[in-house]
Amino acid sequence: MGGARVDFGRRVLIVRWWRVALRLDRRSVVVCLLLSLAIACIAVLALMTGSYLFSPGQVVSALTGGQTGLVHDIVVEWRLPRVTAALVFGAALGASGAIFQSMLRNPLADPGLIGFSHGSYTGALVVILVVNGSYWQLVGGAVLGGMVTAVAVYLLAYRRGVQGFRLIVIGIGVSAVLDSLNTWLILKADLKQTMAAAAWGAGSLNGVSWNQVAIGGACVFVLLLTAGMASRPMRQLELGDDAAASQGVRVSPTRLGLVMVGVALTATVTAASGPIVFISLVAPQIARRLARTAGITLAPAAVVGALLCLSADYIAQHVAPTPLPVGVITVVLGGGYLCWLLFIEARRRL
């Protein structure tokens, strides 16, 4: 009996490379692979569809260098940056939502609902409407606005530690204040600036270039790698502050670091495409139900976020009666999901 193995009902894969060993849940790996296959199919469909229609063979040939001229330019230079941006930014939003929902142990913990996205939007609006700055200044303004908002919410919520419910309530209040400030900034600007800011604020991937994708992708890659390294203490925080501290986790610094990573992921997306809302709310919960994990996990949430963003952008471009910003579609889908989630939570309490 002493040497018997205990089956906890989950199958895991151990991947070893040099001195690093990764413990992967087998169902999560299968779910990520199936979702990646769906992403590949939708990506090819998006590259095929438009004013010029191409076959799957032409798309694959253009991606592998077998096509030149007009087909190559349309597929690789015009459509592929948008598809790549949807995947990268969707993964960033999904991972950001997973960080906050895991850390705060609340399915409604979303960077958009607790003010961090509004802070990034405020910083970007100041650059657009007041400074009239360059793209790099826009990136800096969005990141700085998100970070300042995160620090403010964290300090206002701090009272012998930070509890999830208190941070969410204060974040909602700060979000309302920033929303009013953003409206005031837009109303005070001239008409041309107002129209540009309103279009950008809807969350759009129109005009995304390879330069923006490369810069945003590099930032997202570093941030996702950082989040992956912090995934173990993040999961330990789900057990509660006392339990996490008893296992050697420095609770306050770890939570603050996770907040900064989550805000930076959201701010990177906001700087490049404007605020694309609700993906960070929806993706972690869908991923949790598909993978059937006990808590929120980063990788499935990131893959689901990429799939949702790419699908929403395809609907916005080709299914809607007129081309729309992707943020309009995510608001509709996310709003419907939020109503369903509130209905389910209300039924559980009856």
Side-chain angles (χ1 to χ4, degrees):
M1 293 296 293
R5 297 181 61 182
V6 180
D7 185 1
F8 292 100
R10 304 291 295 188
R11 298 292 185 267
V12 297
L13 299 174
I14 306 297
V15 179
R16 291 184 173 85
W17 180 74
W18 198 39
R19 297 182 180 179
V20 178
L22 296 178
R23 184 177 179 273
L24 305 175
D25 180 77
R26 184 174 296 180
R27 183 181 177 87
S28 296
V29 172
V30 173
V31 167
C32 288
L33 290 176
L34 293 176
L35 292 174
S36 298
L37 180 61
I39 287 173
C41 294
I42 297 175
V44 172
L45 181 62
L47 295 174
M48 291 168 49
T49 312
S51 299
Y52 292 90
L53 296 176
F54 300 121
S55 66
Q58 287 177 301
V59 170
V60 174
S61 180
L63 294 177
T64 56
Q67 289 279 354
T68 58
L70 184 62
V71 176
H72 176 272
D73 290 341
I74 292 176
V75 172
V76 177
E77 300 299 331
W78 297 355
R79 295 178 182 173
L80 187 57
R82 182 171 187 142
V83 170
T84 306
L87 294 176
V88 172
F89 297 158
L93 293 172
S96 177
I99 289 173
F100 285 108
Q101 292 182 19
S102 174
M103 181 181 62
L104 300 178
R105 290 174 289 171
N106 193 311
L108 296 178
D110 172 67
L113 293 179
I114 56 182
F116 301 151
S117 295
H118 286 80
S120 299
Y121 186 32
T122 302
L125 279 181
V126 170
V127 174
I128 294 173
L129 303 178
V130 180
V131 181
N132 195 22
S134 63
Y135 170 72
W136 283 108
Q137 290 173 319
L138 178 64
V139 173
V143 174
L144 181 61
M147 290 298 181
V148 170
T149 304
V151 172
V153 172
Y154 191 87
L155 292 177
L156 289 172
Y158 190 89
R159 184 181 299 172
R160 297 179 181 177
V162 175
Q163 301 298 323
F165 180 75
R166 187 189 306 134
L167 190 143
I168 291 174
V169 171
I170 291 177
I172 291 174
V174 171
S175 177
V177 172
L178 291 175
D179 194 39
S180 300
L181 176 60
N182 295 340
T183 302
W184 180 80
L185 287 172
I186 292 176
L187 292 176
K188 287 295 183 179
D190 60 60
L191 181 60
K192 185 177 181 181
Q193 288 180 316
T194 298
M195 293 179 64
W200 180 82
S204 176
L205 298 175
N206 292 333
V208 174
S209 65
W210 275 121
N211 184 46
Q212 292 171 299
V213 173
I215 296 170
C219 295
V220 169
F221 175 78
V222 173
L223 291 169
L224 289 179
L225 187 62
T226 304
M229 295 172 62
S231 61
R232 183 174 180 179
M234 183 183 76
R235 296 295 302 274
Q236 289 171 317
L237 285 175
E238 292 183 2
L239 302 174
D241 291 357
D242 294 337
S246 67
Q247 298 178 27
V249 177
R250 300 175 61 189
V251 175
S252 294
T254 300
R255 181 176 284 115
L256 181 59
L258 288 170
V259 168
M260 291 304 176
V261 172
V263 170
L265 285 168
T266 302
T268 300
V269 177
T270 303
S273 62
I276 302 176
V277 297
F278 279 113
I279 288 181
S280 51
L281 172 70
V282 175
Q285 293 301 314
I286 294 178
R288 181 179 182 179
R289 285 165 172 77
L290 290 176
R292 297 181 183 176
T293 55
I296 302 295
T297 49
L298 285 173
V303 177
V304 171
L307 177 61
L308 289 176
C309 191
L310 181 61
S311 302
D313 189 55
Y314 182 84
I315 294 172
Q317 287 188 89
H318 306 296
V319 179
T322 182
L324 297 171
V326 63
V328 175
I329 303 300
T330 59
V331 165
V332 174
L333 298 178
Y337 173 80
L338 180 60
C339 293
W340 176 81
L341 181 63
L342 292 175
F343 176 73
I344 293 299
E345 292 296 325
R347 287 190 61 184
R348 288 178 177 176
R349 287 174 169 80
L350 293 179

